[in-house]
Amino acid sequence: MSEQDLENLTEVDPAMLNYIDKAVTTKVTEKFDVLQTQIEQALKNCCSDKSQTRNRATVVVFSSDMDKLIAAFIIATGAAAMGMDVSMYFTFWGLAALKKKTVLKGKSITEKLMGIMLPSGPAHVGTSKMNMLGMGAAFFKYVMKKKNVETLPDLIALAGEMNIRMVGCQMSMEVMGITKEELIDGLDYGGVTTYLADASDSKITLFI
Amino acid sequence: MADKHLDCKELNCPIPIVRISKAIKEMSPGQTLSVEATDMAFKADLKAWVQKMGHEIVDLTNNGQVQQAIIRKCG
């Protein structure tokens, strides 16, 4: 049938029209379904893209100063309260924040020396300024208690309650001769890649 | 009256927000939470928090030292 013929067509059998209508609907639905599946698949791939920035914050805790540790934990617990997934990486001096006890048994002389010289836990760290052999830290603790500011051990416990991921750097532990039994429970352990994997997914990352 | 009340007086940053976040989590959308706080940064922090979390401050009053906020859970 040519176009001319179609234009000249005035009367069409209703059964024929009905047939055409049905055939077109079936075809369109068929094509549309395929398209819909493709769109859904594309959307799924897009959403599960691992490179996408998530609502995550990561903090590298390098220092063992009371003031800096308090800042790190206030930011971390605050971020958790804002609905963010929070990871904290404790490396070098920062490991002091995670210590629950010092074990000297079975360590080499250098490890024992470091065990004695390093802070024995978050309750015994000094301030970065005005420490004056620990007098400054004692003074700040007194003032903060008076003003009802959370202590460092309280903030660490709060971080645990808020499901903040705390990771101990294993290389630093090796260097400082710190064992897992000296650190608090519920920690993860890892290296720089563990940090970078989380940091690359984060909107915020800090080095304290 | 609010559906839930939280006393955050004498508490400092970040504890009021931590407590609010925990309380809101346990509530249903549409419910309100009233909070009393004395933290100096409370007003600014609460405003930032609701904006980020998508909730709403219904009322924020200042009775001398104590600040009172009513927050409605959204979403």
Side-chain angles (χ1 to χ4, degrees):
Chain A
M1 218 188 270
S2 70
E3 262 181 52
Q4 192 65 44
D5 291 335
L6 273 172
E7 271 176 23
N8 292 338
L9 214 58
T10 45
E11 271 179 44
V12 187
D13 186 358
M16 185 65 161
L17 269 178
N18 200 14
Y19 171 77
I20 294 169
D21 201 34
K22 265 192 184 155
V24 168
T25 311
T26 317
K27 266 282 173 225
V28 168
T29 314
E30 214 172 85
K31 294 262 182 213
F32 187 74
D33 280 350
V34 173
L35 204 62
Q36 193 171 18
T37 320
Q38 280 175 346
I39 291 171
E40 273 170 11
Q41 192 59 46
L43 271 176
K44 215 184 267 175
N45 288 345
C46 179
C47 292
S48 67
D49 186 355
K50 287 207 173 89
S51 68
Q52 227 175 21
T53 309
R54 289 189 310 181
N55 196 13
R56 183 180 271 286
T58 38
V59 183
V60 177
V61 185
F62 182 86
S63 325
S64 65
D65 302 317
M66 186 180 84
D67 40 6
K68 291 183 185 178
L69 289 171
I70 287 176
F73 276 94
I74 286 181
I75 294 169
T77 50
M82 286 190 109
M84 303 180 92
D85 293 327
V86 185
S87 305
M88 299 178 88
Y89 291 83
F90 296 83
T91 184
F92 236 87
W93 314 111
L95 284 168
L98 304 177
K99 259 185 134 180
K100 65 174 179 196
K101 60 177 179 185
T102 305
V103 179
L104 297 178
K105 214 178 151 194
K107 285 189 179 175
S108 70
I109 292 173
T110 50
E111 285 171 349
K112 273 181 187 160
L113 265 173
M114 272 194 276
I116 294 164
M117 287 165 68
L118 291 171
S120 56
H124 304 102
V125 290
T127 50
S128 66
K129 287 191 196 315
M130 290 166 58
N131 191 42
M132 298 174 287
L133 299 171
M135 280 193 305
F139 170 75
F140 274 110
K141 272 186 218 167
Y142 166 75
V143 173
M144 286 164 87
K145 194 180 173 182
K146 226 176 141 184
K147 300 200 184 227
N148 204 23
V149 174
E150 292 291 297
T151 65
L152 181 56
D154 287 345
L155 283 168
I156 297 171
L158 182 64
E161 281 166 32
M162 297 183 89
N163 294 322
I164 289 176
R165 185 184 185 209
M166 292 190 261
V167 185
C169 164
Q170 284 182 301
M171 193 180 71
S172 302
M173 287 167 66
E174 184 69 32
V175 171
M176 305 234 171
I178 297 170
T179 57
K180 285 184 187 177
E181 63 164 331
E182 290 174 283
L183 301 181
I184 56 170
D185 301 326
L187 297 179
D188 286 338
Y189 295 93
V192 70
T193 320
T194 319
Y195 157 70
L196 288 170
D198 276 352
S200 61
D201 261 358
S202 298
K203 285 178 178 162
I204 299 168
T205 182
L206 299 170
F207 187 96
I208 298 176
Chain B
M1 272 309 281
D3 297 293
K4 204 170 175 179
H5 180 74
L6 210 56
D7 182 5
C8 291
K9 290 196 289 283
E10 307 298 322
L11 296 173
N12 284 291
C13 171
I15 308 302
I17 295 295
V18 168
R19 297 243 173 117
I20 292 168
S21 141
K22 201 173 162 221
I24 287 272
K25 240 180 238 172
E26 290 159 1
M27 290 163 55
S28 348
Q31 283 190 312
T32 52
L33 172 73
S34 82
V35 188
E36 278 183 299
T38 50
D39 179 16
M40 305 282 266
F42 182 71
K43 194 173 159 189
D45 274 7
L46 184 68
K47 278 186 178 169
W49 186 80
V50 293
Q51 195 186 19
K52 194 83 191 162
M53 304 299 285
H55 302 306
E56 191 191 336
I57 299 175
V58 183
D59 189 37
L60 192 61
T61 48
N62 202 338
N63 310 318
Q65 283 275 310
V66 183
Q67 306 193 69
Q68 189 169 21
I70 298 178
I71 308 154
R72 182 182 290 121
K73 177 170 179 164
C74 299

